[in-house]
Amino acid sequence: MSDSRHELIAALNSSLISQQYSPVVARNYCTYASGFLDYLGPRGISVTDVIDVQVEQYLRHAIVLFEKQRGRRPSARWHEVPRSGIHALLRLVHGQWPPAINPTCVADEVRFSICDEYELWLREERGLACSSVAALMWEARNFLAWQIDHGIDGSTGLSISDVDRYMDLRAPKLTRCSLKAVAERLRSLLRYLHTTGRVTTDLSGHIIAPMLYAYEGVPSVLDRSQIVAVLESAKKDKTSAGLRDHAILQLLATYGLRSGEIRHLRIEDIDWRTEAIHVRHHKTRASTSLPLMEPVGEAVLSYLRSGRPLTDAREIFIRTRAPYRKLDKLYSVVRRRLRDAGVQPPGKCGPLSKTVETR
């Protein structure tokens, strides 16, 4: 058992290093993973049989030990590193983590089957982008689980009053714009359920979305002095994150690209010889060739030379911490750089808040 445990931790360490985790992080992850294995042993639990509840039980146990050993409770976020190390171990052992949820009853089996077929329909019949499918599937899983929890029959028992109750449940923490998106995703699911004969009445037309006013979703506009201030502030940061963020901000300010267009930019999309940049528009599936402006080219080149981690990923802009992969979003990058520059837009402050005021 001891030999297999050491082999497993060694395999975890090799896996983390191959993913370009820093040696310090890999060592910490392995330490916490080893502690988790020590916890499982006396309890007769094999790591191959672990479920997510046991991870949470161990973390509570580890907090108690921490308090006994040091005479104080750990910080509120202390558990994040142990949990990440344990999850890395479990991904190595199980192939994925969190594990896939197994159906526990007939209703679960029906729900999972509907979700699988709905996802296939969204991808193959409607040809939606992965991000759109993910949003629609999250709402579908949430609604169908809510339906089962409230004992509502999937075919004949679902009524518009049930849909209203679900919308009322979702509404309190959402803006009108977000609630409108929920309504649209729910309409899609209900239309699909009716089309496939799982619901006798088409309820999609009865879902009332909140009214959005003209230009309500348009991001706030920065004037030229504010844009210059943000760019100059980011340029002073010579860390890997600073070089990356400055290049991203140059792209936003110069070309007005969407978040996804920047995140999906690949190394081969920049032609340094002809000084051109090739942009794929994922919403329209078209592409555009733009002149590579000097400030953008210099910022991107500085990042590629001195800031970008060594990785096989072809996307230009990469996370600064392992695992090194493309950025998931730009909102936090822009928000942080606006804050550092002391710029506070009056409205939305996501990636599209880079528009120059020209009047």
Side-chain angles (χ1 to χ4, degrees):
M1 177 63 182
S2 178
D3 290 342
S4 62
R5 175 180 169 282
H6 288 307
E7 291 173 2
L8 187 56
I9 295 300
L12 173 62
N13 184 68
S14 298
S15 174
L16 293 171
I17 296 300
S18 70
Q19 296 176 64
Q20 298 184 328
Y21 282 81
S22 74
V24 173
V25 173
R27 184 167 60 250
N28 288 338
Y29 278 16
C30 288
T31 298
Y32 288 117
S34 181
F36 181 58
L37 293 176
D38 290 341
Y39 170 83
L40 296 177
R43 290 164 177 78
I45 303 172
S46 170
V47 68
T48 57
D49 297 327
V50 166
I51 58 176
D52 51 359
V53 173
Q54 289 160 341
V55 176
E56 299 308 314
Q57 289 173 344
Y58 168 73
L59 290 172
R60 289 194 293 271
H61 167 78
I63 289 172
V64 172
L65 286 181
F66 184 102
E67 191 169 4
K68 286 182 178 179
Q69 292 170 356
R70 307 193 187 187
R72 61 178 177 85
R73 289 186 64 81
S75 66
R77 300 182 64 179
W78 172 84
H79 64 278
E80 292 180 1
V81 174
R83 178 182 280 127
S84 296
I86 294 167
H87 283 183
L89 171 71
L90 294 173
R91 280 194 297 272
L92 181 67
V93 173
H94 292 257
Q96 70 174 47
W97 195 268
I101 301 173
N102 295 318
T104 58
C105 59
V106 174
D108 275 350
E109 292 178 357
V110 172
R111 176 165 60 98
F112 290 178
S113 175
I114 291 173
C115 286
D116 290 343
E117 293 172 15
Y118 180 49
E119 184 171 10
L120 187 65
W121 180 75
L122 292 171
R123 293 185 187 281
E124 297 192 356
E125 296 296 325
R126 295 191 59 190
L128 298 182
C130 292
S131 57
S132 299
V133 172
L136 287 159
M137 289 307 303
W138 188 96
E139 203 67 57
R141 293 187 184 99
N142 197 56
F143 176 76
L144 293 173
W146 174 88
Q147 181 182 338
I148 291 173
D149 290 342
H150 287 75
I152 302 169
D153 182 75
S155 55
T156 59
L158 187 63
S159 67
I160 190 58
S161 62
D162 296 322
V163 177
D164 286 342
R165 281 197 295 150
Y166 176 78
M167 291 295 291
D168 289 341
L169 176 70
R170 296 280 279 120
K173 297 182 180 180
L174 299 177
T175 63
R176 290 198 310 280
C177 185
S178 296
L179 191 58
K180 180 179 174 64
V182 171
E184 291 171 348
R185 293 194 290 263
L186 196 54
R187 285 191 192 118
S188 173
L189 173 64
L190 293 176
R191 278 196 296 268
Y192 174 79
L193 293 176
H194 174 65
T195 301
T196 55
R198 291 186 170 89
V199 173
T200 53
T201 305
D202 185 3
L203 302 175
S204 61
H206 296 279
I207 300 177
I208 301 175
M211 179 71 70
L212 296 185
Y213 303 106
Y215 308 115
E216 180 176 355
V218 176
S220 54
V221 176
L222 302 182
D223 61 36
R224 292 184 185 276
S225 64
Q226 290 175 314
I227 290 177
V228 170
V230 174
L231 289 172
E232 288 299 319
S233 174
K235 190 175 182 179
K236 294 176 183 176
D237 185 352
K238 299 302 182 181
T239 65
S240 296
L243 293 171
R244 182 198 65 192
D245 295 353
H246 181 240
I248 288 172
L249 291 168
Q250 284 285 4
L251 284 162
L252 286 170
T254 304
Y255 303 113
L257 302 181
R258 292 178 179 272
S259 169
E261 291 164 352
I262 291 178
R263 290 186 296 107
H264 289 95
L265 271 178
R266 297 169 68 87
I267 292 174
E268 57 267 26
D269 289 335
I270 296 184
D271 189 333
W272 300 99
R273 184 177 60 81
T274 62
E275 297 185 345
I277 181 169
H278 181 74
V279 180
R280 300 182 184 89
H281 307 293
H282 285 260
K283 280 187 173 292
T284 61
R285 300 188 181 182
S287 61
T288 302
S289 184
L290 301 170
L292 182 62
M293 306 302 290
E294 184 176 345
V296 176
E298 290 180 353
V300 172
L301 195 58
S302 294
Y303 169 63
L304 292 175
R305 285 175 171 170
S306 306
R308 189 175 184 271
L310 293 174
T311 174
D312 293 333
R314 300 301 298 169
E315 288 80 14
I316 293 176
F317 299 109
I318 302 296
R319 285 162 41 101
T320 56
R321 297 173 62 182
Y324 297 120
R325 57 174 182 263
K326 71 178 181 182
L327 294 172
D328 295 325
K329 54 187 177 182
L330 297 188
Y331 176 80
S332 58
V333 169
V334 174
R335 182 180 58 184
R336 182 174 63 251
R337 295 302 170 179
L338 287 172
R339 184 191 63 228
D340 292 348
V343 173
Q344 179 57 55
K348 296 176 70 175
C349 59
L352 293 182
S353 300
K354 77 297 174 184
T355 310
V356 177
E357 185 177 293
T358 56
R359 63 176 183 274

